[in-house]
Amino acid sequence: MSTSAKRRGVHSEEDHDPAHLLRPDPVEASLVLDDGTVIKGISFGAQQSVAGEVVFNTGMVGYPEALTDPSYRGQILVLTYPLIGNYGVPDMKVLDEFGLPKYFESDKIHISGLVVCEYNADHSHWNSNSSLGDWLSLHNIPAIFGVDTRMLTKKFGKKVLY
């Protein structure tokens, strides 16, 4: 397999071990769908169970904005972009000229859970205040990575189309 394929998070079964990217003691997590499908991954963020409607977002940028968007209130959000977390999360205390959070859609996280393909805990950005995992933990939001989000999107798309 090519190096570029590995960089994009496309791995063969024997290569697919995302746990080494997160912590020395990774915790397995599962996403259980209403049809009985169980999808395994690695936990990051808060380690707790939640229930909610699973929805997806196909945006290529702006995960802090998506997670704080009130339209996702109580939902488990699947981000289809293959790499999430690389630029961390800005400081929520930074406000714009109207007194609103400058880099977010609102003043809190509205999702109940997060599902991503590949999570990068080693964030790097001039505006980063914390890692995505730490931010989610602070706000008691569970997350899972190592999931084939393209498969989930196709699965949900078929339900809508038929």
Side-chain angles (χ1 to χ4, degrees):
M1 174 174 14
S2 74
T3 305
S4 63
K6 284 187 180 181
R7 214 174 327 159
R8 286 179 300 174
V10 179
H11 305 279
S12 66
E13 283 301 312
E14 52 275 357
D15 282 345
H16 190 67
D17 182 19
H20 74 279
L21 299 172
L22 190 56
R23 57 174 86 111
D25 58 338
V27 176
E28 188 174 279
S30 298
L31 175 65
V32 181
L33 304 179
D34 62 356
D35 68 359
T37 303
V38 177
I39 299 160
K40 301 274 187 196
I42 305 298
S43 174
F44 75 102
Q47 292 185 17
Q48 69 169 13
S49 295
V50 295
E53 177 186 20
V54 178
V55 297
F56 61 90
N57 177 304
T58 60
M60 293 177 59
V61 296
Y63 58 82
E65 293 87 348
L67 278 55
T68 58
D69 186 335
S71 69
Y72 290 122
R73 181 182 308 271
Q75 297 175 321
I76 298 170
L77 182 60
V78 177
L79 298 176
T80 61
Y81 191 72
L83 177 62
I84 301 297
N86 56 320
Y87 57 85
V89 179
D91 188 348
M92 285 195 91
K93 295 176 188 162
V94 176
L95 305 177
D96 65 14
E97 65 272 16
F98 303 106
L100 301 171
K102 187 171 185 173
Y103 305 109
F104 303 91
E105 292 299 307
S106 68
D107 62 352
K108 69 179 190 175
I109 299 174
H110 288 279
I111 64 167
S112 64
L114 181 65
V115 180
V116 301
C117 179
E118 188 174 334
Y119 169 63
N120 185 347
D122 187 21
H123 59 95
S124 177
H125 189 271
W126 67 269
N127 200 25
S128 178
N129 186 54
S130 71
S131 73
L132 176 58
D134 289 345
W135 186 55
L136 292 170
S137 290
L138 180 67
H139 295 279
N140 214 27
I141 306 294
I144 181 174
F145 79 101
V147 173
D148 184 352
T149 56
R150 296 170 302 165
M151 176 274 299
L152 277 177
T153 304
K154 286 180 182 179
K155 183 177 187 70
F156 297 139
K158 286 181 182 176
K159 278 186 170 183
V160 172
L161 296 175
Y162 300 114

